[in-house]
Amino acid sequence: MHLLLLFFYFFRDFGFNAITEIPTVLFRHEQDASIVKFDHNELAYLKSGTFSGLIKVEYILLHHNKISTLDGGVFTNIPAKAIYLFNNPIRNISSDVSLAINTALEIFVNCSTLETLPSSHQTFDGSCVNNVFVPYVEIHSSDVMDSLKAEQGWDCSSLKWSSFMCSPCHRGTYDNNRACLECPTGGFYQDEIGTTSCKQCDVGTFVNYTGGISLRECKVCPDGSDLTKPAGYRACVCKGDFTRTHRFQGCQRCQTDGLNCSLDYRYLMPGFYWNWSFPEVNLTEYRQFVVNLQTENLTYLNTSIEYKHRMPNVFRCPRFQSCKNPNSDTREGLDGRCDDGYRGWQCIKCQEGYFPVLNSCTKCPHDWVVLLQTLILSVLVIVTFAVVLCLHSGKDPRQCNRSINNKVAARIKIMFGFYQVIGELTESLNGAPWSDASVHLDKLFSLLDFNILNLYTRLRCLNENFTINPLLRFKIGLISQVGTVMLACTIYLTCKVYLKRWRHSVTGELTAKLNKVKSRLYTFAIFFFFVTYTPTCAAIFKVLPTACETFDVVHDGSYMISLLRSDVDINCGALGNYQIGAYVATSLYVIPFPLILLYVLYKHRRRNVERQLPCNNRTVPVPDNDVSQNTSSMGEIHAEHYHEVPAWLDFLCGNYKEEFWYWEIVELLRKVVQIMLISMFGWKNSMVKLFTIGASIVFLFTNVIIFPMRDRFEEMLQIFSLSVILTNVLVTAIPITYDGYVPLLSTFLLTLDAVLCITIAGEAVVAMYRISKRAIISRRVKEALIRRYHQIAGPNEG
C-alpha cells in the first residue's frame, strides 16, 4: 500500500489517451506531483495557467502531440527542470513564454520546425532534439520508472540508491514494453524518438541493417524481388519464380523443374525427388532456415537467417505417382515423401511388405498364397525340365518326321525368347506409368516370365532376406552354370561306378547304358544352359561399369554418386570385385557359349552332309556289315542298328530348315544383344532405343522373307512374337505427350503379350493331348498285336 501511494503521489500520467484539451482547473489543487505526462495525445493548444497549480513539478512531458504555438502564461510560476515539447509542429514560441518561465528550465523541441525564436533579456535553455541527442529524466522511484517503461516509448537505466535515468527511445528504436529495441532489418525505420513502433519503408524498399532512422535509408530491394509489396521482415518478397537462401539478400531464379518457389524457398512438387543424405547438403539447417523464413515477426532467429550449404539436385521420378511429396512446403515434408509402398532413390524400390509388379509396388498377399504360388512355379519348372529330358520317349528310331515333343519344345523356345526380351524391357523402364488394369493383368500373367530368378520375387513377402538383388543374381547365375556341369559329371561318374561294380554289366551293355545316361545329361545341361543363358548374361551385364548411372546430387554439380541402374540401393563404388568377375564371365561364358554351340552344330551338319542326311534327321543308319540280318516276326529292323541323333542337338536345330541349321544361334545372339544394350545402358539411352528398334525390325522382316522354320505354324508364331516385341519397343521408345493414352497403350501391350502366351500355352496343351492320345492308341495296338500273336502262335505250338 505504501508503494502504491508513493507512486500516485509523485506521478501523473495522462499519456496515450487521445486527449485534445487540458482543463485549466485540473491542477489547481495539485501540489505534490513531480512528473506530469501528456505525451502521445492530440493536444493542439495549451491555455494560460494550465499548469499553475504544480508547485513541485520537475518534468512536464508534452512530446508527440500537435502543438504548433506556445502562448504566454502557459508555464507561469512553474519550478520545472525540463519540458518535453519535441515531436510537436511548433513554429513559434512567444516572448511572453520566455519571460514567464524559470531560468533553470530547459525546453526540448525539434528545431527543424521553428520559424521564430523568442526575443527576451531573460536567459533560459532550449535544446534541439535529434537522432543523436535525447533528453533524460532522473527518476527517484522504481515504481515511476516501471510505469514509464510500461507506458512505452521510454528506456531507463539504474544509477544508485534507487535512482534511474530515463529517456525516450532514440530514433531508429522503439519500445516493446520492456526496453528500447532497434527497428529490425527489413522494411522498417523510425525517424522519431519515444515511439512504440517502427515506420514501414515504401513498397519495394528495405533497410539492410537494424536501427534505420530515416526514410532515405530505405533502399530498393535486390534483384529478383517483388517491388510491388512491402519488404516486411526480409529483403522484400521474391518474385514467383525466384527463391532465396538468405533472408536479407537477393533472390535467385528457381531454374529447375520440379521445384515450387512461391514461398521464397524451394520445396518439391509431386512427381519429383531430391536426396538430403549427402555431406554437401544439410537438411536440418535448411529446415531451420525455412521455419525461420516463415516467421513474419520479431521472433525469428538471427542465427538462421541464411542456409549456407548447397542445395540438392532435383530428379524427375520415373513413376510420377510414386513421388507424392505431401506437405512438402512444411518442415516435416521438406525432404519429400514417397507414396505408400515405395522407398529409396527416386522412389523406385518397394517397401517391406510390398513386391514389384511391372515396376509398381503391390501389397504382399497372405503367406499361404505366396507359398502356394512358389510351389506351383517350382512344380512347373521341374515338369518342364522333365519333359525335355524325355523328348524321345516313344519315338520310333527309324521315323524321319519330327515328334510332337520336339514341336512342343520349339514352341517353348519361342515363348522363352519373347518373355526374356520383354521382361528385361519392362524391368529397365524403372517405374513406367502402367495403368491399374495393366498391373492386374501382369499379376495374372506373371507366371509366364521365364527368367527363373524372377519367378520367386514374391518370396520377399515372407522375409526381406529373400530379396534377390542384381549382385545375388550374378552369384546365382555363375554358380548355377558351374554347378550344372559339376552335377552332370557327378551323376555320370556315379552311374558308371554303380553299373560297373554293383550291376556287373558287360562291356556292350555298360556302354549302351552309359551312352543313354550321357545323352540325358547332355540334354539336361544344354536345355538348362539354353534357358538360363539369357538371364545369366543379363545378370553379368548388370554389374558392369556401363550398367551404372551417375547422378549430380548437388545443384552445382560438385558432388556426384554412381548407382547401379538395375538396383539403386547399390553404390557402384563398392563393386570393384564384381565388375572384375563380370569381365571374366563375359570372356569365359558369354562369348564362348554360342560359339561352342555353333561349332557343335556345324560339326554335326558336316557329318550329315557326308552321309547325305539332313541336319534335323534324328536317326543315322549304321554300315551294312554292322547290321544284324535277323528280323523280328513283325518284319521290323531292331532299333539298336540305328544311331539316334542326340536330343540336345535336335533341340537346337530340329525345328529349322536344313539351310538354316545355325538359326538358333542367331536367335540366341539377337536376344543377348538386345538385353545387353538394355541392361548396360538403360532404356533412356537414345542409341539403345534406336538399335533395339532397328534389330526388332530387321529380325521381323528377315523371318518374313526367308521363313527359316520348317513348320508354318511355328514360323507364324515366331513372326507374331517378333511383331509384339517390336510393338512393345516402339510404344515404350516413343514419348507419349498425352497421359490419357498411357492406360490404353499399357493395357494393349499386355493384352498382346497375353494373347501370344495363351496361343503358345494352348498349342502346348493340344500337343500334350496328342501325345497322350497317341500313347494310349499305341499301347492298345501293341496289346492287340500281342494278343493276336498269341492266338496265332498257340495252335502252331500245339
Side-chain angles (χ1 to χ4, degrees):
M1 176 64 74
H2 174 73
L3 291 177
L4 180 60
L5 290 175
L6 183 63
F7 163 69
F8 182 78
Y9 185 77
F10 282 110
F11 192 49
R12 296 294 182 268
D13 187 2
F14 300 96
F16 296 92
N17 284 297
I19 297 173
T20 59
E21 182 181 357
I22 302 176
T24 56
V25 297
L26 180 63
F27 298 110
R28 183 164 299 176
H29 302 290
E30 180 64 59
Q31 298 179 353
D32 297 322
S34 61
I35 300 175
V36 176
K37 280 179 84 276
F38 277 95
D39 60 295
H40 294 88
N41 282 297
E42 302 293 328
L43 297 174
Y45 180 76
L46 296 177
K47 296 180 181 180
S48 178
T50 300
F51 303 103
S52 60
L54 298 172
I55 60 175
K56 294 183 179 181
V57 67
E58 295 181 5
Y59 299 96
I60 299 176
L61 311 181
L62 295 168
H63 56 89
H64 289 90
N65 279 283
K66 298 180 180 180
I67 303 171
S68 60
T69 302
L70 292 178
D71 293 331
V74 175
F75 303 117
T76 302
N77 299 322
I78 299 297
K81 296 179 181 179
I83 298 176
Y84 288 4
L85 289 170
F86 54 86
N87 288 106
N88 281 286
I90 298 176
R91 294 188 298 271
N92 298 293
I93 299 177
S94 68
S95 300
D96 296 336
V97 172
S98 63
L99 291 172
I101 62 176
N102 181 11
T103 56
L105 176 66
E106 187 174 8
I107 296 178
F108 296 92
V109 295
N110 290 111
C111 297
S112 60
T113 61
L114 284 176
E115 297 176 357
T116 61
L117 291 175
S119 59
S120 174
H121 298 290
Q122 186 173 350
T123 303
F124 72 95
D125 291 330
S127 300
C128 295
V129 177
N130 52 45
N131 61 323
V132 176
F133 169 77
V134 292
Y136 287 87
V137 175
E138 186 175 349
I139 306 296
H140 301 285
S141 170
S142 61
D143 298 292
V144 175
M145 183 271 297
D146 292 338
S147 178
L148 281 175
K149 296 180 66 174
E151 286 294 330
Q152 304 175 351
W154 287 75
D155 190 21
C156 299
S157 59
S158 177
L159 295 176
K160 59 181 180 178
W161 304 108
S162 300
S163 295
F164 304 91
M165 188 64 71
C166 298
S167 66
C169 294
H170 293 245
R171 288 204 294 180
T173 65
Y174 72 101
D175 184 41
N176 71 339
N177 292 332
R178 292 183 300 274
C180 292
L181 302 178
E182 289 186 317
C183 291
T185 305
F188 305 99
Y189 74 98
Q190 183 53 263
D191 56 0
E192 298 181 10
I193 65 174
T195 61
T196 59
S197 62
C198 296
K199 296 180 181 179
Q200 288 196 8
C201 294
D202 292 340
V203 170
T205 62
F206 85 114
V207 181
N208 195 23
Y209 45 82
T210 60
I213 63 173
S214 172
L215 181 62
R216 289 177 298 179
E217 295 184 357
C218 298
K219 305 301 181 182
V220 177
C221 290
D223 293 340
S225 303
D226 186 352
L227 302 182
T228 65
K229 297 179 180 178
Y233 292 89
R234 63 185 76 180
C236 288
V237 177
C238 294
K239 294 179 181 178
D241 57 344
F242 283 75
T243 182
R244 63 169 16 111
T245 55
H246 194 293
R247 191 181 193 106
F248 301 111
Q249 293 181 4
C251 301
Q252 306 85 36
R253 193 177 294 275
C254 264
Q255 295 181 336
T256 304
D257 292 336
L259 289 178
N260 191 329
C261 300
S262 60
L263 300 177
D264 274 19
Y265 59 89
R266 299 177 178 94
Y267 61 94
L268 277 178
M269 297 173 64
F272 291 86
Y273 172 86
W274 60 9
N275 193 291
W276 290 84
S277 61
F278 302 102
E280 299 292 323
V281 297
N282 190 318
L283 179 59
T284 302
E285 182 178 315
Y286 188 66
R287 280 175 170 164
Q288 292 173 350
F289 168 74
V290 168
V291 173
N292 204 41
L293 190 64
Q294 290 174 326
T295 305
E296 290 291 341
N297 53 53
L298 281 174
T299 60
Y300 74 83
L301 303 176
N302 285 321
T303 57
S304 300
I305 63 173
E306 180 183 10
Y307 174 70
K308 300 178 182 179
H309 292 77
R310 293 182 172 90
M311 291 297 298
N313 213 350
V314 177
F315 302 92
R316 185 183 297 273
C317 292
R319 185 179 183 274
F320 182 89
Q321 298 88 337
S322 301
C323 302
K324 280 195 171 182
N325 300 324
N327 303 319
S328 61
D329 59 335
T330 64
R331 182 182 188 279
E332 293 74 17
L334 273 177
D335 54 341
R337 293 286 188 272
C338 299
D339 192 13
D340 293 340
Y342 298 87
R343 66 166 184 85
W345 183 264
Q346 296 182 337
C347 300
I348 293 174
K349 303 291 291 182
C350 293
Q351 289 180 350
E352 185 175 355
Y354 291 79
F355 69 95
V357 177
L358 274 182
N359 298 307
S360 297
C361 294
T362 303
K363 196 169 184 62
C364 288
H366 295 293
D367 291 350
W368 68 269
V369 176
V370 176
L371 292 173
L372 181 61
Q373 290 176 340
T374 305
L375 178 61
I376 294 174
L377 290 173
S378 301
V379 171
L380 288 175
V381 171
I382 294 173
V383 169
T384 302
F385 276 88
V387 169
V388 174
L389 288 176
C390 301
L391 276 175
H392 285 194
S393 299
K395 176 70 176 68
D396 188 344
R398 297 169 302 159
Q399 183 178 344
C400 292
N401 295 327
R402 295 171 64 205
S403 67
I404 293 179
N405 287 338
N406 185 269
K407 294 181 180 180
V408 172
R411 272 71 160 176
I412 292 176
K413 286 193 296 182
I414 295 173
M415 187 163 57
F416 280 5
F418 171 75
Y419 274 98
Q420 285 171 345
V421 174
I422 294 299
E424 196 63 37
L425 177 63
T426 55
E427 186 176 349
S428 69
L429 292 180
N430 273 340
W434 300 94
S435 68
D436 293 337
S438 301
V439 174
H440 291 305
L441 280 175
D442 188 70
K443 289 180 184 178
L444 296 176
F445 297 111
S446 58
L447 300 181
L448 306 174
D449 185 355
F450 283 94
N451 183 341
I452 295 177
L453 298 181
N454 285 338
L455 294 178
Y456 299 97
T457 55
R458 289 174 176 80
L459 283 178
R460 63 171 290 169
C461 293
L462 300 178
N463 193 307
E464 281 293 310
N465 294 327
F466 293 153
T467 301
I468 303 178
N469 62 27
L471 302 184
L472 183 58
R473 291 189 182 192
F474 176 74
K475 295 176 183 178
I476 293 175
L478 297 185
I479 293 174
S480 63
Q481 307 304 310
V482 177
T484 300
V485 174
M486 296 180 63
L487 178 63
C489 294
T490 302
I491 293 176
Y492 178 78
L493 293 176
T494 302
C495 291
K496 186 175 182 179
V497 171
Y498 173 75
L499 292 173
K500 205 169 184 179
R501 294 199 174 187
W502 279 273
R503 297 298 296 270
H504 304 291
S505 301
V506 296
T507 303
E509 182 182 2
L510 176 64
T511 302
K513 290 182 178 181
L514 288 178
N515 286 339
K516 188 174 182 180
V517 172
K518 186 188 299 182
S519 177
R520 293 289 175 86
L521 291 176
Y522 274 141
T523 301
F524 166 77
I526 293 298
F527 179 73
F528 180 83
F529 290 149
F530 180 84
V531 171
T532 60
Y533 177 70
T534 303
T536 302
C537 289
I540 294 172
F541 297 149
K542 287 181 179 180
V543 297
L544 289 172
T546 52
C548 297
E549 186 170 355
T550 301
F551 298 92
D552 294 329
V553 296
V554 180
H555 187 65
D556 60 2
S558 61
Y559 191 88
M560 295 184 294
I561 60 169
S562 182
L563 303 178
L564 203 61
R565 190 178 293 108
S566 56
D567 191 337
V568 292
D569 281 349
I570 300 174
N571 193 315
C572 292
L575 297 183
N577 294 332
Y578 285 95
Q579 291 172 349
I580 294 174
Y583 282 124
V584 173
T586 301
S587 59
L588 297 181
Y589 172 75
V590 177
I591 298 175
F593 179 73
L595 296 178
I596 293 173
L597 289 183
L598 183 64
Y599 171 76
V600 172
L601 287 177
Y602 172 76
K603 186 176 180 181
H604 172 64
R605 177 180 179 275
R606 184 177 179 182
R607 183 173 66 248
N608 284 350
V609 169
E610 292 175 354
R611 297 178 180 178
Q612 298 182 350
L613 290 173
C615 164
N616 44 40
N617 196 339
R618 292 174 56 88
T619 58
V620 180
V622 299
D624 293 338
N625 56 354
D626 292 336
V627 179
S628 174
Q629 301 299 322
N630 298 325
T631 60
S632 67
S633 59
M634 302 299 297
E636 296 182 344
I637 301 176
H638 289 287
E640 60 267 19
H641 298 298
Y642 283 79
H643 295 307
E644 192 173 316
V645 175
W648 51 276
L649 280 178
D650 186 65
F651 173 76
L652 296 176
C653 67
N655 58 320
Y656 294 106
K657 295 177 183 178
E658 170 63 21
E659 60 271 27
F660 299 109
W661 55 272
Y662 56 85
W663 200 256
E664 193 62 61
I665 308 302
V666 176
E667 283 289 321
L668 196 65
L669 291 176
R670 171 186 68 84
K671 294 184 293 184
V672 169
V673 171
Q674 287 182 318
I675 290 177
M676 176 188 70
L677 293 175
I678 296 174
S679 301
M680 292 177 61
F681 302 104
W683 191 242
K684 297 178 182 178
N685 190 296
S686 299
M687 292 302 298
V688 172
K689 294 180 181 179
L690 181 62
F691 182 87
T692 305
I693 293 174
S696 301
I697 294 175
V698 168
F699 274 93
L700 174 60
F701 280 94
T702 302
N703 276 268
V704 171
I705 294 172
I706 67 176
F707 253 60
M709 293 186 174
R710 296 173 61 193
D711 188 270
R712 182 174 179 82
F713 175 79
E714 291 176 6
E715 186 61 49
M716 293 295 102
L717 198 62
Q718 177 72 346
I719 292 174
F720 181 44
S721 169
L722 294 174
S723 301
V724 176
I725 290 177
L726 177 60
T727 304
N728 279 268
V729 170
L730 287 175
V731 171
T732 52
I734 299 174
I736 302 173
T737 57
Y738 177 56
D739 293 340
Y741 292 145
V742 173
L744 178 63
L745 288 176
S746 57
T747 303
F748 170 72
L749 290 181
L750 283 180
T751 302
L752 278 180
D753 300 350
V755 169
L756 178 62
C757 178
I758 291 173
T759 303
I760 297 175
E763 175 65 18
V765 172
V766 172
M768 295 302 294
Y769 170 75
R770 291 173 181 171
I771 292 174
S772 301
K773 185 176 179 180
R774 182 173 294 183
I776 293 173
I777 294 175
S778 176
R779 183 175 180 180
R780 290 178 178 175
V781 170
K782 184 176 181 180
E783 291 175 353
L785 289 175
I786 292 175
R787 287 196 301 269
R788 180 61 177 167
Y789 173 77
H790 286 298
Q791 290 175 359
I792 297 174
N796 293 336
E797 291 178 0

